[in-house]
Amino acid sequence: MKMALSDLLPKPVLRLPSGTGPALVMGSAPNFRLPERHDAGWALVTINASQLLAETFGLSAPDIALIRRGILVGDSEQDLYKRDLLKGRQAKHLIVPVWPDVEDKLKAGCRTFNYRYDTLQALTKWQLANIVWRVSGKYHVSRGWHRKISTGVFAITLARFAGFAPVVVSGFSLSQAGHGYDTRNAFRYHVDEDADLLRRMVRRGEPIYAEDRDFAAESGLPLWQGQMQ
């Protein structure tokens, strides 16, 4: 009997509660806004330093924060800069979509800038691939920076995998460079892989929506107009 690919991949065991109800996934692009009908009952998912933008709306610590490995343990200028931005902040559940590092190393990295959390989990590339497969139907294992999905689009996928619905995304762009918290014109990587994955999820009918009209047009996501389940 032929086995499904999802049965061959290690099943991801996430140390976070199953989600219910709506979730806002807050990216770092300059076009961030709160979606229509957003209230305190929505879960908040942030990416890297986007929780700074969430704070401008008075939102509390994110329910799930995805932070790339480099920000915790890297020594590049951008890693150090974002580490400084996140100093003293916290999240309920910190997820690091990272391949080789043991969690003790990541915990030590968090201590260097006093980033706190209730739980921390580093995902292997196979756990990440399983999550992407189950939500989008795409087999995706990173083979170099130019062929990987962004941390932001993985955060959208993870929110659906956790069970949140609808998932509304704000502060995302496939064309607009830069960040809402940084005036430098940062290049936006992973555009082609991100666009492909988003369109696959749309075709599968996943309840994922774009708050921004421009991002809806370029990603294929339906525009959010308050469509509660």
Side-chain angles (χ1 to χ4, degrees):
M1 180 183 296
K2 187 175 180 179
M3 297 181 70
L5 179 59
S6 57
D7 293 328
L8 297 175
L9 292 169
K11 291 186 178 180
V13 178
L14 295 178
R15 293 192 293 274
L16 53 91
S18 297
T20 57
L24 167 62
V25 181
M26 177 70 81
S28 299
N31 57 340
F32 61 96
R33 289 188 299 260
L34 287 184
E36 181 182 348
R37 298 185 67 180
H38 179 274
D39 61 31
W42 287 46
L44 174 64
V45 181
T46 62
I47 302 101
N48 297 328
S50 74
Q51 70 181 96
L52 277 74
L53 305 181
E55 289 172 5
T56 67
F57 293 100
L59 301 182
S60 57
D63 297 278
I64 303 173
L66 279 87
I67 298 182
R68 62 177 176 78
R69 167 187 174 272
I71 294 174
L72 303 186
V73 299
D75 56 6
S76 72
E77 180 184 357
Q78 272 293 308
D79 292 336
L80 295 172
Y81 172 67
K82 290 182 180 177
R83 200 177 303 159
D84 188 59
L85 289 177
L86 290 168
K87 187 178 297 182
R89 288 177 164 80
Q90 62 183 339
K92 293 179 183 177
H93 304 287
L94 174 57
I95 303 289
V96 183
V98 60
W99 304 188
D101 287 339
V102 296
E103 290 178 14
D104 285 348
K105 182 176 180 180
L106 300 177
K107 291 176 181 178
C110 288
R111 288 195 294 271
T112 64
F113 60 109
N114 192 31
Y115 193 92
R116 292 160 291 150
Y117 47 82
D118 294 338
T119 67
L120 178 147
Q121 182 170 8
L123 296 177
T124 69
K125 65 179 179 181
W126 303 113
Q127 289 172 318
L128 186 149
N130 193 301
I131 291 169
V132 171
W133 171 266
R134 289 174 183 274
V135 178
S136 72
K138 179 177 183 177
Y139 175 59
H140 176 87
V141 176
S142 174
R143 295 182 177 87
W145 68 266
H146 60 294
R147 292 190 59 193
K148 63 178 285 190
I149 59 173
S150 66
T151 307
V153 168
F154 178 64
I156 297 170
T157 311
L158 181 67
R160 276 299 300 133
F161 178 81
F164 293 107
V167 172
V168 184
V169 305
S170 181
F172 279 78
S173 177
L174 295 176
S175 58
Q176 190 175 7
H179 302 104
Y181 51 78
D182 185 352
T183 57
R184 289 175 288 186
N185 192 31
F187 184 74
R188 196 160 302 286
Y189 298 98
H190 322 302
V191 169
D192 292 340
E193 289 289 336
D194 283 353
D196 178 67
L197 186 61
L198 290 168
R199 291 190 173 95
R200 285 172 182 265
M201 292 191 287
V202 169
R203 289 196 294 269
R204 288 167 65 100
E206 294 292 342
I208 303 171
Y209 301 88
E211 187 281 329
D212 178 75
R213 190 174 298 276
D214 290 338
F215 186 61
E218 65 188 11
S219 68
L221 292 176
L223 181 66
W224 173 252
Q225 296 176 304
Q227 308 97 308
M228 288 296 188
Q229 301 298 299

